[in-house]
Amino acid sequence: MIDTDLYRTEFRRRFHRDGIAYFAPGRVNLIGEHTDYNGGFVFPGAIDCGITAILHPNNSTSVNLYSVDWDKEYRFDIADDNMPEDRHFRYVYGVVREMQAAGVPVGGFDAVYGGDVPLGAGMSSSAALECCFAVALNDLFGDNRLDKMTLALIGQATEHKYVGVKCGIMDQFASMHGREGALMRLDCRSGDYEYFSWNPQGYRLLLVNSCMKHELVGSPYNDRRESCERVARLAGVETLRDCTWQQLEMLKPQLTDEDYRRARYVLGETDRVLAVCDALGKGDYEETGRQMYLTHQGLSKDYEVSCEELDFLVDMARQCGVSGSRLMGGGFGGCTINLVKEELYDAFVENISHSYRERFSFDCKIIPVVIGPGARRIA
Ligand code: GLA
């Protein structure tokens, strides 16, 4: 995790006092992609990198922000109805507004923040930012009266209303509810979740960042969601979670090929998450990995959210004998998540780094996965 001293020092330099530190993590997702907004299952875990913020109330109505990573400052009044032009600050602005709407009397405050979760890598840097401020404002102004799920929903509402990404709940849920050494299976229809301790003897999880920035804003992410909603409407169900294979086949003549393939991917992914839960129950990591490859195939061919670089990384993983590999998160760039046998780990890292550079003339980045706790105040 990031060393907070840098942020504390910057806060003192700017605001001439000490602030209080908060941290919220990014996430990985073992399986269950683009299922959250379809009422399906996801299988995420919080990681050990994320966003750190130092805050202090300032007894005024003014919010003074400084983003270390962007080296930019921004000021707004807590009653200001105008969204910041700069999208980066809309995450914080949106959280402030949504917290107020939820009844938390947010007053003016000073904040310095930054992070070590790579931006645009599909590791939920924006959810980490939202959750970090949500936890902080709940603590500083709300006596911690809002529960974790409410804070996660505030982060999601921020994406919808202030950023324009119609995301599901997975990222904010994972950032809020993470637990050290545990993955979580969330049923996005009921909101029920369960912790699964993640200790795959003989295997490791690692991310390979393609370093192709993914950008969900203005991307076809929202289009994918619309396809799913169209099919669900025709099937007469609230979300695709409640659409059966039989119903989908019956509707096929009425659907565009594209909408049909999107829905086929989603129905398949629900089955795959359940297959992985079964496999994990039996300690069968090879089967888990096999399902991950199938997910990638669906994401690439039916859901069409992959890109050449990600497909290459998954193909290479397969050639290197990696048990499972797939693109992770929204897609259109970002990382692959890989389930690798211990004995293959070093050779895989070397091989993939080398071949990626040879193929694309720039480097991919290897990120070992450490499953950590969720958003919190830090000492
Ligand atoms: C992004 C969204 C999530 C989820 C994933 C795909 O990370 O923020 O809600 O839809 O894409 O699984």
Side-chain angles (χ1 to χ4, degrees):
M1 201 183 91
I2 212 157
D3 176 9
T4 56
D5 284 354
L6 166 78
Y7 301 100
R8 291 184 198 273
T9 309
E10 185 60 31
F11 189 91
R12 223 172 286 129
R13 197 178 73 72
R14 289 179 168 264
F15 302 113
H16 314 293
R17 64 169 143 197
D18 287 330
I20 302 157
Y22 298 86
F23 173 81
R27 60 105 190 87
V28 290
N29 185 27
L30 185 65
I31 196 151
E33 221 62 90
H34 289 275
T35 43
D36 55 358
Y37 53 83
N38 284 301
F41 296 99
V42 292
F43 218 113
I47 50 176
D48 66 338
C49 49
I51 300 286
T52 300
I54 316 291
L55 283 87
H56 204 288
N58 60 19
N59 290 319
S60 78
T61 60
S62 159
V63 174
N64 303 305
L65 304 174
Y66 176 67
S67 156
V68 174
D69 300 334
W70 298 78
D71 185 22
K72 272 189 189 168
E73 43 186 42
Y74 189 76
R75 186 194 158 278
F76 64 90
D77 192 273
I78 46 161
D80 194 347
D81 286 330
N82 300 311
M83 277 208 266
E85 286 276 309
D86 188 337
R87 203 181 74 224
H88 176 71
F89 292 109
R90 289 194 194 167
Y91 294 102
V92 181
Y93 174 83
V95 170
V96 169
R97 304 293 284 187
E98 292 297 308
M99 295 287 289
Q100 289 170 329
V104 174
V106 179
F109 62 90
D110 303 325
V112 164
Y113 64 97
D116 61 348
V117 55
L119 298 176
M123 295 163 67
S124 300
S125 51
S126 56
L129 178 56
E130 292 144 14
C131 291
C132 190
F133 274 88
V135 160
L137 300 179
N138 194 34
D139 186 36
L140 293 174
F141 296 103
D143 294 325
N144 289 306
R145 74 174 78 141
L146 301 182
D147 62 19
K148 289 182 185 183
M149 199 57 116
T150 306
L151 296 178
L153 289 166
I154 282 175
Q156 185 194 26
T158 298
E159 298 272 354
H160 285 206
K161 298 188 204 166
Y162 305 86
V163 188
V165 177
K166 299 278 181 206
C167 65
I169 193 64
M170 168 169 72
D171 304 351
Q172 292 80 5
F173 166 84
S175 183
M176 287 305 311
H177 293 78
R179 199 181 268 180
E180 200 164 348
L183 298 180
M184 299 161 278
R185 185 184 65 195
L186 170 69
D187 178 336
C188 300
R189 183 173 61 186
S190 65
D192 293 342
Y193 57 93
E194 217 182 307
Y195 288 93
F196 282 71
S197 101
W198 177 252
N199 186 16
Q201 295 295 324
Y203 291 83
R204 283 204 233 170
L205 267 187
L206 89 157
L207 305 180
V208 180
N209 186 355
S210 67
C211 294
M212 291 301 291
K213 279 233 166 143
H214 93 147
E215 176 66 275
L216 297 185
V217 181
S219 84
Y221 179 93
N222 291 350
D223 299 346
R224 299 297 182 282
R225 185 173 181 151
E226 279 165 24
S227 281
C228 296
E229 288 171 352
R230 258 195 308 274
V231 179
R233 257 195 312 276
L234 277 173
V237 292
E238 199 171 322
T239 62
L240 285 184
R241 165 78 177 279
D242 296 314
C243 177
T244 61
W245 283 107
Q246 206 185 4
Q247 270 173 309
L248 179 62
E249 288 313 312
M250 272 166 56
L251 282 179
K252 192 174 176 186
Q254 297 174 55
L255 302 176
T256 62
D257 177 54
E258 196 176 272
D259 282 359
Y260 172 74
R261 284 185 293 114
R262 305 292 190 247
R264 177 168 72 184
Y265 162 77
V266 172
L267 265 59
E269 187 69 349
T270 298
D271 293 350
R272 284 186 288 273
V273 180
L274 296 175
V276 161
C277 290
D278 259 12
L280 288 178
K282 297 181 197 136
D284 188 348
Y285 295 102
E286 289 305 306
E287 176 59 18
T288 300
R290 207 176 68 79
Q291 297 291 337
M292 290 166 73
Y293 278 120
L294 290 174
T295 292
H296 185 78
Q297 204 180 332
L299 286 169
S300 178
K301 302 286 179 285
D302 276 351
Y303 221 61
E304 295 179 292
V305 292
S306 188
C307 61
E308 199 191 339
E309 291 80 1
L310 290 170
D311 287 345
F312 178 84
L313 288 174
V314 171
D315 283 349
M316 278 305 299
R318 201 191 288 277
Q319 281 176 39
C320 292
V322 167
S323 306
S325 178
R326 63 176 196 82
L327 81 82
M328 186 184 76
F332 313 106
C335 292
T336 59
I337 181 166
N338 301 270
L339 182 61
V340 192
K341 277 201 183 112
E342 290 277 1
E343 64 261 30
L344 293 180
Y345 188 90
D346 291 340
F348 171 57
V349 167
E350 202 183 307
N351 251 315
I352 203 146
S353 308
H354 177 77
S355 49
Y356 193 80
R357 161 157 273 281
E358 194 143 277
R359 173 77 177 73
F360 297 107
S361 307
F362 58 94
D363 288 325
C364 59
K365 286 215 172 68
I366 307 295
I367 308 172
V369 173
V370 178
I371 305 292
R376 62 200 180 272
R377 179 171 169 159
I378 45 185

PDB file of all heavy atoms in Angstrom, residues 27 29 32-37 124 167-171 216 221 329-330, ligand 1:
ATOM      1  N   ARG A  27      -9.936  -2.938  -7.260  1.00  0.00           N
ATOM      2  CA  ARG A  27     -10.400  -4.326  -7.126  1.00  0.00           C
ATOM      3  C   ARG A  27      -9.909  -5.198  -8.280  1.00  0.00           C
ATOM      4  O   ARG A  27      -9.553  -4.705  -9.353  1.00  0.00           O
ATOM      5  CB  ARG A  27     -11.922  -4.399  -7.055  1.00  0.00           C
ATOM      6  CG  ARG A  27     -12.660  -3.834  -8.271  1.00  0.00           C
ATOM      7  CD  ARG A  27     -13.244  -4.867  -9.214  1.00  0.00           C
ATOM      8  NE  ARG A  27     -13.734  -4.295 -10.445  1.00  0.00           N
ATOM      9  CZ  ARG A  27     -12.985  -4.094 -11.520  1.00  0.00           C
ATOM     10  NH1 ARG A  27     -11.711  -4.428 -11.522  1.00  0.00           N
ATOM     11  NH2 ARG A  27     -13.492  -3.567 -12.622  1.00  0.00           N
ATOM     12  N   ASN A  29     -11.386  -8.916 -10.278  1.00  0.00           N
ATOM     13  CA  ASN A  29     -12.610  -9.708 -10.375  1.00  0.00           C
ATOM     14  C   ASN A  29     -12.232 -11.048 -11.001  1.00  0.00           C
ATOM     15  O   ASN A  29     -11.720 -11.085 -12.114  1.00  0.00           O
ATOM     16  CB  ASN A  29     -13.642  -8.971 -11.249  1.00  0.00           C
ATOM     17  CG  ASN A  29     -14.977  -9.687 -11.293  1.00  0.00           C
ATOM     18  OD1 ASN A  29     -15.332 -10.407 -10.356  1.00  0.00           O
ATOM     19  ND2 ASN A  29     -15.718  -9.487 -12.376  1.00  0.00           N
ATOM     20  N   GLY A  32     -17.207 -13.148 -13.739  1.00  0.00           N
ATOM     21  CA  GLY A  32     -18.489 -12.444 -13.617  1.00  0.00           C
ATOM     22  C   GLY A  32     -18.314 -11.032 -14.134  1.00  0.00           C
ATOM     23  O   GLY A  32     -18.325 -10.067 -13.383  1.00  0.00           O
ATOM     24  N   GLU A  33     -18.148 -10.916 -15.449  1.00  0.00           N
ATOM     25  CA  GLU A  33     -17.896  -9.598 -16.046  1.00  0.00           C
ATOM     26  C   GLU A  33     -19.120  -9.143 -16.821  1.00  0.00           C
ATOM     27  O   GLU A  33     -19.745  -9.948 -17.536  1.00  0.00           O
ATOM     28  CB  GLU A  33     -16.684  -9.726 -16.970  1.00  0.00           C
ATOM     29  CG  GLU A  33     -15.720  -8.581 -16.905  1.00  0.00           C
ATOM     30  CD  GLU A  33     -15.071  -8.368 -15.542  1.00  0.00           C
ATOM     31  OE1 GLU A  33     -14.005  -8.950 -15.300  1.00  0.00           O
ATOM     32  OE2 GLU A  33     -15.628  -7.596 -14.739  1.00  0.00           O
ATOM     33  N   HIS A  34     -19.479  -7.865 -16.654  1.00  0.00           N
ATOM     34  CA  HIS A  34     -20.670  -7.284 -17.280  1.00  0.00           C
ATOM     35  C   HIS A  34     -21.938  -8.026 -16.852  1.00  0.00           C
ATOM     36  O   HIS A  34     -22.915  -8.082 -17.589  1.00  0.00           O
ATOM     37  CB  HIS A  34     -20.549  -7.274 -18.812  1.00  0.00           C
ATOM     38  CG  HIS A  34     -19.544  -6.268 -19.301  1.00  0.00           C
ATOM     39  ND1 HIS A  34     -19.854  -4.943 -19.509  1.00  0.00           N
ATOM     40  CD2 HIS A  34     -18.226  -6.392 -19.563  1.00  0.00           C
ATOM     41  CE1 HIS A  34     -18.771  -4.294 -19.907  1.00  0.00           C
ATOM     42  NE2 HIS A  34     -17.760  -5.146 -19.949  1.00  0.00           N
ATOM     43  N   THR A  35     -21.883  -8.615 -15.686  1.00  0.00           N
ATOM     44  CA  THR A  35     -23.065  -9.287 -15.147  1.00  0.00           C
ATOM     45  C   THR A  35     -23.745  -8.418 -14.100  1.00  0.00           C
ATOM     46  O   THR A  35     -24.924  -8.614 -13.816  1.00  0.00           O
ATOM     47  CB  THR A  35     -22.682 -10.621 -14.471  1.00  0.00           C
ATOM     48  OG1 THR A  35     -21.508 -10.382 -13.698  1.00  0.00           O
ATOM     49  CG2 THR A  35     -22.406 -11.704 -15.484  1.00  0.00           C
ATOM     50  N   ASP A  36     -22.987  -7.447 -13.528  1.00  0.00           N
ATOM     51  CA  ASP A  36     -23.570  -6.708 -12.380  1.00  0.00           C
ATOM     52  C   ASP A  36     -24.819  -5.928 -12.784  1.00  0.00           C
ATOM     53  O   ASP A  36     -25.855  -6.010 -12.128  1.00  0.00           O
ATOM     54  CB  ASP A  36     -22.531  -5.835 -11.656  1.00  0.00           C
ATOM     55  CG  ASP A  36     -21.775  -4.842 -12.515  1.00  0.00           C
ATOM     56  OD1 ASP A  36     -22.004  -4.812 -13.748  1.00  0.00           O
ATOM     57  OD2 ASP A  36     -20.955  -4.084 -11.960  1.00  0.00           O
ATOM     58  N   TYR A  37     -24.753  -5.207 -13.914  1.00  0.00           N
ATOM     59  CA  TYR A  37     -25.940  -4.434 -14.300  1.00  0.00           C
ATOM     60  C   TYR A  37     -26.998  -5.315 -14.954  1.00  0.00           C
ATOM     61  O   TYR A  37     -28.048  -4.825 -15.377  1.00  0.00           O
ATOM     62  CB  TYR A  37     -25.560  -3.247 -15.209  1.00  0.00           C
ATOM     63  CG  TYR A  37     -24.741  -3.612 -16.431  1.00  0.00           C
ATOM     64  CD1 TYR A  37     -25.335  -4.070 -17.580  1.00  0.00           C
ATOM     65  CD2 TYR A  37     -23.354  -3.484 -16.410  1.00  0.00           C
ATOM     66  CE1 TYR A  37     -24.589  -4.406 -18.695  1.00  0.00           C
ATOM     67  CE2 TYR A  37     -22.586  -3.811 -17.523  1.00  0.00           C
ATOM     68  CZ  TYR A  37     -23.212  -4.265 -18.659  1.00  0.00           C
ATOM     69  OH  TYR A  37     -22.458  -4.603 -19.761  1.00  0.00           O
ATOM     70  N   SER A 124     -10.471  -0.167 -11.355  1.00  0.00           N
ATOM     71  CA  SER A 124     -11.428   0.643 -10.594  1.00  0.00           C
ATOM     72  C   SER A 124     -10.818   1.792  -9.807  1.00  0.00           C
ATOM     73  O   SER A 124     -11.142   1.999  -8.625  1.00  0.00           O
ATOM     74  CB  SER A 124     -12.226  -0.235  -9.622  1.00  0.00           C
ATOM     75  OG  SER A 124     -12.909  -1.192 -10.323  1.00  0.00           O
ATOM     76  N   CYS A 167     -22.530   2.386 -14.978  1.00  0.00           N
ATOM     77  CA  CYS A 167     -21.874   1.172 -14.465  1.00  0.00           C
ATOM     78  C   CYS A 167     -22.795   0.405 -13.527  1.00  0.00           C
ATOM     79  O   CYS A 167     -23.815   0.923 -13.066  1.00  0.00           O
ATOM     80  CB  CYS A 167     -20.591   1.556 -13.736  1.00  0.00           C
ATOM     81  SG  CYS A 167     -20.899   2.528 -12.259  1.00  0.00           S
ATOM     82  N   GLY A 168     -22.391  -0.827 -13.230  1.00  0.00           N
ATOM     83  CA  GLY A 168     -23.073  -1.623 -12.214  1.00  0.00           C
ATOM     84  C   GLY A 168     -22.491  -1.284 -10.849  1.00  0.00           C
ATOM     85  O   GLY A 168     -21.827  -0.256 -10.679  1.00  0.00           O
ATOM     86  N   ILE A 169     -22.702  -2.194  -9.898  1.00  0.00           N
ATOM     87  CA  ILE A 169     -22.312  -1.895  -8.509  1.00  0.00           C
ATOM     88  C   ILE A 169     -21.015  -2.598  -8.101  1.00  0.00           C
ATOM     89  O   ILE A 169     -20.473  -2.356  -7.020  1.00  0.00           O
ATOM     90  CB  ILE A 169     -23.481  -2.277  -7.543  1.00  0.00           C
ATOM     91  CG1 ILE A 169     -23.279  -1.705  -6.134  1.00  0.00           C
ATOM     92  CG2 ILE A 169     -23.684  -3.777  -7.496  1.00  0.00           C
ATOM     93  CD1 ILE A 169     -23.273  -0.215  -6.038  1.00  0.00           C
ATOM     94  N   MET A 170     -20.483  -3.464  -8.980  1.00  0.00           N
ATOM     95  CA  MET A 170     -19.359  -4.304  -8.545  1.00  0.00           C
ATOM     96  C   MET A 170     -18.175  -3.525  -7.965  1.00  0.00           C
ATOM     97  O   MET A 170     -17.666  -3.874  -6.894  1.00  0.00           O
ATOM     98  CB  MET A 170     -18.857  -5.137  -9.725  1.00  0.00           C
ATOM     99  CG  MET A 170     -17.522  -5.805  -9.413  1.00  0.00           C
ATOM    100  SD  MET A 170     -17.045  -7.017 -10.586  1.00  0.00           S
ATOM    101  CE  MET A 170     -16.611  -6.064 -12.010  1.00  0.00           C
ATOM    102  N   ASP A 171     -17.721  -2.495  -8.662  1.00  0.00           N
ATOM    103  CA  ASP A 171     -16.463  -1.854  -8.268  1.00  0.00           C
ATOM    104  C   ASP A 171     -16.585  -1.171  -6.909  1.00  0.00           C
ATOM    105  O   ASP A 171     -15.729  -1.316  -6.041  1.00  0.00           O
ATOM    106  CB  ASP A 171     -16.043  -0.817  -9.320  1.00  0.00           C
ATOM    107  CG  ASP A 171     -15.936  -1.422 -10.707  1.00  0.00           C
ATOM    108  OD1 ASP A 171     -16.023  -2.664 -10.818  1.00  0.00           O
ATOM    109  OD2 ASP A 171     -15.772  -0.663 -11.669  1.00  0.00           O
ATOM    110  N   LEU A 216     -14.065   4.217 -20.100  1.00  0.00           N
ATOM    111  CA  LEU A 216     -15.470   3.819 -20.188  1.00  0.00           C
ATOM    112  C   LEU A 216     -16.377   5.007 -20.506  1.00  0.00           C
ATOM    113  O   LEU A 216     -17.474   4.844 -21.010  1.00  0.00           O
ATOM    114  CB  LEU A 216     -15.920   3.153 -18.890  1.00  0.00           C
ATOM    115  CG  LEU A 216     -15.202   1.838 -18.546  1.00  0.00           C
ATOM    116  CD1 LEU A 216     -15.816   1.203 -17.315  1.00  0.00           C
ATOM    117  CD2 LEU A 216     -15.230   0.853 -19.699  1.00  0.00           C
ATOM    118  N   TYR A 221     -19.452   1.124 -23.572  1.00  0.00           N
ATOM    119  CA  TYR A 221     -19.914   0.444 -22.348  1.00  0.00           C
ATOM    120  C   TYR A 221     -21.431   0.617 -22.192  1.00  0.00           C
ATOM    121  O   TYR A 221     -22.159  -0.354 -21.996  1.00  0.00           O
ATOM    122  CB  TYR A 221     -19.190   1.015 -21.127  1.00  0.00           C
ATOM    123  CG  TYR A 221     -19.600   0.395 -19.807  1.00  0.00           C
ATOM    124  CD1 TYR A 221     -18.899  -0.685 -19.273  1.00  0.00           C
ATOM    125  CD2 TYR A 221     -20.696   0.868 -19.089  1.00  0.00           C
ATOM    126  CE1 TYR A 221     -19.271  -1.261 -18.071  1.00  0.00           C
ATOM    127  CE2 TYR A 221     -21.083   0.296 -17.892  1.00  0.00           C
ATOM    128  CZ  TYR A 221     -20.361  -0.766 -17.387  1.00  0.00           C
ATOM    129  OH  TYR A 221     -20.756  -1.341 -16.194  1.00  0.00           O
ATOM    130  N   GLY A 329     -12.590  -6.491 -15.989  1.00  0.00           N
ATOM    131  CA  GLY A 329     -13.251  -5.183 -15.885  1.00  0.00           C
ATOM    132  C   GLY A 329     -14.057  -4.887 -17.135  1.00  0.00           C
ATOM    133  O   GLY A 329     -14.472  -5.788 -17.864  1.00  0.00           O
ATOM    134  N   GLY A 330     -14.263  -3.612 -17.389  1.00  0.00           N
ATOM    135  CA  GLY A 330     -15.128  -3.191 -18.484  1.00  0.00           C
ATOM    136  C   GLY A 330     -14.608  -3.559 -19.866  1.00  0.00           C
ATOM    137  O   GLY A 330     -15.375  -3.781 -20.793  1.00  0.00           O
TER     138      GLY A 330
HETATM  139  C1  GLA B   1     -16.733  -1.688 -15.044  1.00  0.00           C
HETATM  140  C2  GLA B   1     -17.995  -1.253 -14.304  1.00  0.00           C
HETATM  141  C3  GLA B   1     -18.573  -2.402 -13.474  1.00  0.00           C
HETATM  142  C4  GLA B   1     -18.737  -3.667 -14.302  1.00  0.00           C
HETATM  143  C5  GLA B   1     -17.453  -3.960 -15.082  1.00  0.00           C
HETATM  144  C6  GLA B   1     -17.620  -5.129 -16.019  1.00  0.00           C
HETATM  145  O1  GLA B   1     -15.711  -1.968 -14.125  1.00  0.00           O
HETATM  146  O2  GLA B   1     -17.718  -0.165 -13.452  1.00  0.00           O
HETATM  147  O3  GLA B   1     -19.797  -2.018 -12.897  1.00  0.00           O
HETATM  148  O4  GLA B   1     -19.836  -3.587 -15.147  1.00  0.00           O
HETATM  149  O5  GLA B   1     -17.007  -2.845 -15.822  1.00  0.00           O
HETATM  150  O6  GLA B   1     -17.846  -6.289 -15.319  1.00  0.00           O
END
